Amino acid sequence: MLETLKYLIGSAGPSGYGSKSTAEQVTDTCVDLRTSTAIITGATSGIGAETARVLAKRGARLVIPARNLKAAEETKARITSEFPDSKIIVMRLDLSSLKSVRSFVSDFDALNLPLNLLINNAGKFAHDHGISEDGIEMTFATNYLGHFLLTKLLLKKMIATAKSTGIQGRIVNVSSGIHTWFSGDLIGSLGQLTRDKSHYDATRAYAISKLANVLHTKELARRLQEMDCNVTVNCVHPGIVRTRLTREHEGFITDFVFFVTSKLLKTIPQAAATTCYVATNKKLENVSGKYFADCNEASNSEMGCNRKEAARLWSFSEIMVSTNWKDVFAPFR
């Protein structure tokens, strides 16, 4: 009850910020980003677009990967109209396609740019069952597996940038508090979701993908520490906000639910605050493998803290990005 009250009134936590803080407020005192390059997925609308706008305001060069290039160009135009000196590059990327992820990384490498910040923000909540071109359940493919491969392929660039500049690289995975709604066999459940259209549960699929984001953060942080490289990774829960993520659920029921929960909703600038805080705040130097909500470190689910499950998912993901999915899921038939 006390935590809910603190949330509603926006009481500041140990960081000095809280649920009512905005992305602009939490970056007021951030380091100069004019020498930084940031890749932000899902930056054509909602939280991602606000994250891009604020980082551009602070001077960062932005790379906006998008499946819809027209929407990305419109985002770029809005930002440059507000901040004319902004440097923004639009590139094609479909996170549900592993081929597209590899193509994007190849094209980015060809630009010979540094990479300081990677913000894995894009998300999908699909009401209907769908399978990616790689044979993976669409929500998991977009929200997790595409980001897993993207991060894996960009990591060498991030490590090299941090080494040459002395500026710590940061990876931010945007998860959700909904990850706590799932417990059980993640990999087995994913196999069932992919194969069994008749029992598809959209919320369960979304929760699994967001738990995977948390576990990815945990295992990647461990590996980065072992490598002794100057790059950190953390994940965030942005809060409850109505964005285009719910575009497949527009209608009376959705409108009613959001009306009832309106007091708990954040504005988009508030929802982007935790991402921007974790990406830029000086106090978080060397902080890695943590989960943040309302711009403060928070606890996640018991399963989200399970190192064995994180390592298991990592090994499974490595297979998924390099092997036919039918072979991967064969043990679960």
Side-chain angles (χ1 to χ4, degrees), residues 6-28 50 54 237-239 265-277 293-296:
K6 287 181 178 180
Y7 175 87
L8 290 173
I9 65 176
S11 178
S15 69
Y17 304 109
S19 62
K20 302 301 183 184
S21 300
T22 67
E24 287 200 19
Q25 289 171 343
V26 303
T27 57
D28 271 342
E50 177 66 3
V54 171
H237 165 50
L265 291 180
K266 288 186 175 185
T267 65
I268 287 176
Q270 291 168 348
T274 305
T275 298
C276 289
Y277 171 77
D294 300 329
C295 302
N296 287 275

Side-chain angles (χ1 to χ4, degrees), residues 30 48 155 176 239 329:
C30 76
L155 199 54
S176 168
F329 287 134

